[in-house]
Amino acid sequence: MSKINFRASVTYLIILVIYTCATLSAQAQHFYFTGNKSKDAIGFDLVKNLIIVPLYLNGKGPFNFILDTGVGPLIITDAALIDSVGINIARSIKISGLGKGDEIDAFLSNDLSAKIGDAHIDHIPTAILKNDIFGLSNYLGTRIYGLLGYYFFNSFIVEVKYSTKRLLFSDPGAKIKIKGEGIPIVIDSYKPYIKINIESPEHGKLDLKTLVDNGASHALSLERLNEQPFPVPANTIPGNLGVGMSGPIDGNIGRVSLLKIGDYTLKNVLVSYPKYDDVAAKILLKNRNGNLGADVLSRFNIVFDYSRNFMYLKRNSQFNRPFDHDMSGIELYADDDGKTNRYLVSRIEPGSPAQQADIQVDDEILLINFVPVSSYKLNELNNLLKSVDGKTIILYLQRNKEQLVKVFKLKRRI
């Protein structure tokens, strides 16, 4: 059930869907305001650094969608919406994607209307996955129906205020005051790219091109360097980096000493190194080195202006928070059986404190440090498990019909 980072697989889906949907309709596809309105603002939820917004489809909803600069078409991960909102299917396709496994089925539509705040769009290109392979609802602990990306960002000047969880969006011609350092972006295949600089003991200083991807919860993922797999440093730990279209994606987790974006410098940044054969070798990633994710982007308030090829960064109160990886070795998911806050173990990292304490996959957590887990949201529980190096954790578990107590200490492993 681990669904930490599904970005690379979504990229493959986008490449296919964009060109297929383009043949279905010649109509302009932009969000628009009616009447004299030129700007709007809504609140959003922030879970694992991912932005969750309410979206209406064909006049019904709201449905929770992740707002994601890394996707092009509207992606629906819950196929039940086909019937509940009345989606007309244009055709079906099979996708052979990333990871280890079989092809998956998806449907395409170009006859769906959407609304966010007071902004509307008609005939938005849409891909509907027949089966929810990503398990976003389980991963985030709240019901998620899909992802909204390019067509929203391309329609407006979009300001993401991570500090106050507010989303402001304005027509490109509206008079607004933009604050922050301007960073040039390049829109390629419906997604924004920027130049960054990193520094590490192994490679010294490197200039890299990365996708700006606020729909990926990691900090930085490095895939290619000089047309070869990005070299993995010696000081890393193995990790499950998520799930692709065709199964799990393995890799390693390490750090770089410095990450520089414009005049901003971040230190000791976590980096994912996905296994090359599972990711970069399977899709068209030759024009980029990696992926800049939400664990970095959420440290800023950001303005995206696709019409002028710029994004603007202004550091917020979270800028100096440390980059911490899970210190327990436990990956959790919220069980989708109608029960409130029921959390089970989806994966145990090899060599972690949890493995040494004999915690196992499918164990259900009942109490943590003598507090019922029903009092926690999944996001809060995950934050607790990466909170303080050396902190003692006492878990009361249900394993089949047996109840067990397990004790271990959190350990910073990277």
Side-chain angles (χ1 to χ4, degrees):
M1 292 299 301
S2 174
K3 313 297 179 192
I4 291 180
N5 172 23
F6 54 89
R7 174 58 50 236
S9 58
V10 171
T11 300
Y12 184 92
L13 174 65
I14 292 163
I15 292 171
L16 178 60
V17 171
I18 284 290
Y19 293 112
T20 307
C21 285
T23 66
L24 299 179
S25 173
Q27 301 180 55
Q29 290 138 342
H30 287 87
F31 279 87
Y32 60 91
F33 293 116
T34 56
N36 296 323
K37 196 175 183 71
S38 62
K39 62 182 69 174
D40 197 7
I42 63 171
F44 61 80
D45 292 328
L46 192 65
V47 181
K48 294 192 176 181
N49 298 320
L50 303 183
I51 298 168
I52 301 173
V53 296
L55 189 70
Y56 291 82
L57 300 174
N58 287 350
K60 298 181 180 180
F63 304 103
N64 287 334
F65 273 69
I66 295 174
L67 187 64
D68 189 346
T69 54
V71 303
L74 184 71
I75 296 177
I76 293 175
T77 55
D78 189 337
L81 289 184
I82 295 175
D83 294 328
S84 60
V85 305
I87 302 174
N88 294 321
I89 301 301
R91 58 175 294 190
S92 61
I93 58 174
K94 286 187 177 292
I95 301 171
S96 177
L98 308 180
K100 311 156 190 170
D102 300 325
E103 293 180 322
I104 66 165
D105 295 312
F107 306 105
L108 301 180
S109 175
N110 213 187
D111 192 33
L112 183 66
S113 66
K115 176 177 175 290
I116 178 171
D118 288 330
H120 307 256
I121 188 173
D122 305 309
H123 305 287
I124 184 171
T126 304
I128 305 108
L129 303 185
K130 186 175 180 180
N131 297 303
D132 182 6
I133 60 170
F134 298 130
L136 291 171
S137 299
N138 301 104
Y139 168 59
L140 296 177
T142 189
R143 187 72 178 271
I144 302 294
Y145 292 87
L147 304 100
L148 172 67
Y150 171 80
Y151 291 97
F152 177 76
F153 285 99
N154 191 51
S155 300
F156 302 114
I157 297 173
V158 178
E159 182 173 4
V160 179
K161 290 191 172 184
Y162 282 101
S163 58
T164 58
K165 300 180 185 177
R166 294 285 291 172
L167 183 71
L168 291 72
F169 42 106
S170 311
D171 284 335
K175 293 182 179 180
I176 61 172
K177 186 176 182 179
I178 297 178
K179 298 180 180 180
E181 181 186 352
I183 308 293
I185 61 175
V186 174
I187 307 299
D188 184 6
S189 298
Y190 299 80
K191 299 180 292 296
Y193 292 82
I194 63 170
K195 297 287 188 179
I196 66 169
N197 313 102
I198 65 167
E199 185 175 334
S200 68
E202 295 85 5
H203 307 298
K205 296 180 180 180
L206 291 175
D207 298 330
L208 304 176
K209 178 183 178 182
T210 60
L211 173 65
V212 179
D213 192 353
N214 70 346
S217 59
H218 62 237
L220 179 65
S221 175
L222 296 178
E223 302 146 357
R224 297 176 64 93
L225 183 65
N226 300 324
E227 305 303 322
Q228 298 294 324
F230 204 101
V232 178
N235 186 24
T236 62
I237 60 173
N240 174 25
L241 305 184
V243 64
M245 284 291 176
S246 297
I249 296 173
D250 295 323
N252 294 77
I253 299 170
R255 292 183 184 270
V256 293
S257 304
L258 296 176
L259 166 63
K260 190 172 183 181
I261 311 170
D263 290 333
Y264 290 105
T265 299
L266 295 157
K267 298 179 181 179
N268 205 24
V269 178
L270 281 170
V271 179
S272 299
Y273 299 91
K275 186 176 179 181
Y276 182 81
D277 290 341
D278 285 353
V279 179
K282 291 190 176 182
I283 59 177
L284 303 177
L285 296 179
K286 294 184 179 180
N287 64 340
R288 80 186 202 195
N289 301 107
N291 174 302
L292 186 69
D295 196 16
V296 167
L297 298 173
S298 61
R299 296 159 194 267
F300 301 89
N301 289 340
I302 307 177
V303 176
F304 294 96
D305 187 351
Y306 282 22
S307 65
R308 296 173 181 86
N309 292 306
F310 265 90
M311 61 183 271
Y312 299 85
L313 301 180
K314 184 178 180 181
R315 60 186 288 174
N316 62 33
S317 60
Q318 295 298 305
F319 184 81
N320 290 319
R321 77 173 186 263
F323 289 91
D324 275 328
H325 183 57
D326 165 71
M327 298 184 198
S328 68
I330 300 174
E331 293 179 5
L332 297 173
Y333 71 96
D335 189 40
D336 187 19
D337 67 350
K339 295 184 179 180
T340 302
N341 294 5
R342 183 168 181 254
Y343 304 122
L344 290 89
V345 176
S346 61
R347 187 175 184 271
I348 297 293
E349 293 284 357
S352 67
Q355 185 189 54
Q356 295 170 8
D358 189 36
I359 298 169
Q360 299 180 14
V361 171
D362 294 331
D363 284 350
E364 180 182 353
I365 299 180
L366 303 178
L367 302 173
I368 183 166
N369 289 354
F370 306 107
V371 178
V373 294
S374 58
S375 64
Y376 288 93
K377 294 181 179 178
L378 181 58
N379 200 41
E380 296 169 335
L381 202 55
N382 283 312
N383 287 338
L384 177 61
L385 293 176
K386 64 176 185 179
S387 57
V388 179
D389 187 22
K391 180 182 178 68
T392 298
I393 299 294
I394 304 171
L395 295 183
Y396 191 53
L397 305 174
Q398 179 80 38
R399 181 181 299 168
N400 298 321
K401 296 181 179 180
E402 185 180 7
Q403 293 185 346
L404 306 169
V405 176
K406 300 292 183 180
V407 181
F408 61 90
K409 289 187 177 182
L410 299 181
K411 181 179 180 180
R412 182 174 284 111
R413 294 175 289 137
I414 187 64

